[in-house]
Amino acid sequence: MYEWKFKYSRAIFFGICFFILLIYIVLVFIPEATIVDNLDEEPTRIKSTSELKENYHKMVEIEYEYGFSALYMRGNYFVPNRDHGVLKLVYSNELVICSSPGFIEDTLKDGFYVANNVNKIVPKADGNTYVLRGYVDSIGEEDQRMLKKQIQTIYDTREMPDSNENINFGYVIQILNLDTEKENQKKQVPLLIFIAAVFLFSLILLINEIFRYKKYSLDEESKK
């Protein structure tokens, strides 16, 4: 006699769909919506990396003397790659991580200082400073380790005007464009709807399986 069993594959499918939906909402959709909401606000001028924590997920403005590439690009399946660099603040010997959707040296242009003979940063003699506006976000532990490794490997910190110890690896100033971010947010909506639809389908399958299993169990009990 055939014994009907609960199809655990339905539960596994539901769990996978729920996990993907949760990850997408928490790591992609909500952060992008927060960025768009805050890009219109007036940026806060900061003079120290210690102020980055106070302005987390806000727009800030910094004045810097020079910048150099961290030679580190990062992205994932949902978020486009961003190239990272380092900026030397005017008012202190501190350096802050920044990022842009394109190569950082192209984004910063005149404010970007390449390394001389690969391992020495040589600021221009004209003494010009540059102003940058961006959105403050955090840097994960894995990215922090990679950034430290990249900078320490490529640049001999003894030849730099400032020590690696003065770099705040905990936060990044993201160079963003409001129109681009709004367009990205629009593109995310259809994907969110699709993932949500698949999740609802998996939920219906799971609920249907639970009711079928309960009905089968009751039928078996009644036969006994």
Side-chain angles (χ1 to χ4, degrees), residues 51 89 130 133 160 166 201 212:
E51 299 176 63
L89 299 181
Y130 306 88
R133 292 184 178 185
M160 290 169 58
N166 292 330
F201 176 70
R212 286 180 61 189

Side-chain angles (χ1 to χ4, degrees), residues 91-104:
Y91 303 101
S92 68
N93 288 328
E94 297 174 314
L95 298 98
V96 63
I97 302 293
C98 66
S99 71
S100 73
F103 289 115
I104 197 71

Side-chain angles (χ1 to χ4, degrees), residues 4 6-7 9-15 199-215:
W4 194 91
F6 185 84
K7 296 179 181 178
S9 59
R10 302 287 173 89
I12 295 172
F13 180 53
F14 169 79
F199 167 74
L200 290 175
F201 176 70
S202 70
L203 178 61
I204 292 171
L205 289 178
L206 179 60
I207 292 174
N208 182 61
E209 190 69 14
I210 291 173
F211 278 113
R212 286 180 61 189
Y213 182 73
K214 284 185 176 180
K215 184 177 182 300

Side-chain angles (χ1 to χ4, degrees), residues 32 36 177-189:
E32 185 65 36
V36 172
N177 178 275
L178 179 58
D179 293 334
T180 301
E181 296 307 316
K182 285 183 176 180
E183 187 64 28
N184 289 338
Q185 188 181 34
K186 289 180 181 179
K187 292 178 180 178
Q188 289 174 1
V189 173

Side-chain angles (χ1 to χ4, degrees), residues 35-91:
I35 288 173
V36 172
D37 290 341
N38 287 290
L39 277 178
D40 282 327
E41 69 181 18
E42 190 66 24
T44 301
R45 174 66 72 96
I46 63 173
K47 299 181 179 180
S48 172
T49 58
S50 62
E51 299 176 63
L52 292 173
K53 183 177 181 180
E54 303 169 11
N55 292 278
Y56 180 58
H57 281 178
K58 294 182 180 179
M59 292 296 294
V60 297
E61 183 179 82
I62 63 170
E63 186 176 1
Y64 68 98
E65 295 179 13
Y66 61 87
F68 58 92
S69 175
L71 293 184
Y72 181 63
M73 188 172 283
R74 173 77 166 187
N76 55 46
Y77 292 107
F78 298 124
V79 181
N81 287 332
R82 295 190 65 84
D83 195 30
H84 290 71
V86 184
L87 302 176
K88 162 67 172 60
L89 299 181
V90 170
Y91 303 101

